[in-house]
Amino acid sequence: MSDVIAADQLRLFIERIERLEEEKKGIADDIKDVYAECKSNGFDTKTIRTIVKLRKMEKHHRDEAEMLLDTYKAALGLD
């Protein structure tokens, strides 16, 4: 009996994961569409992606990343 219950529970978990994967794909497609819209309006999507990435970071992590980038650029004479 517990084998049947465990199998049912496993099936439910798998079905939930499959539904979430479908939702994730739908959201990824929506994001792709927004980037395409940005590009069609003349915005640089690479820069927008960078800004989105930076906005996700905490300020002290962003400051550290910018400091390292400046240090590496200076070391390579890219200033």
Side-chain angles (χ1 to χ4, degrees):
M1 182 73 168
S2 67
D3 289 341
V4 173
I5 294 171
D8 286 343
Q9 186 179 26
L10 177 60
R11 182 182 46 76
L12 291 173
F13 281 135
I14 291 171
E15 289 172 355
R16 278 177 53 198
I17 291 168
E18 290 170 341
R19 279 193 305 277
L20 290 169
E21 288 291 339
E22 280 298 313
E23 289 177 26
K24 184 170 76 170
K25 183 188 178 307
I27 290 171
D29 289 343
D30 291 347
I31 291 169
K32 184 177 172 182
D33 291 345
V34 172
Y35 278 113
E37 187 178 345
C38 290
K39 187 173 185 174
S40 71
N41 281 287
F43 293 101
D44 182 66
T45 56
K46 185 175 179 182
T47 303
I48 290 173
R49 287 181 190 277
T50 301
I51 290 172
V52 170
K53 180 179 163 186
L54 289 171
R55 287 172 53 107
K56 288 181 186 177
M57 299 171 84
E58 294 179 13
K59 181 167 176 19
H60 68 278
H61 287 201
R62 189 172 53 244
D63 291 343
E64 181 181 349
E66 289 174 359
M67 182 188 67
L68 284 171
L69 180 61
D70 289 343
T71 301
Y72 290 4
K73 284 173 35 183
L76 297 172
L78 296 174
D79 285 348

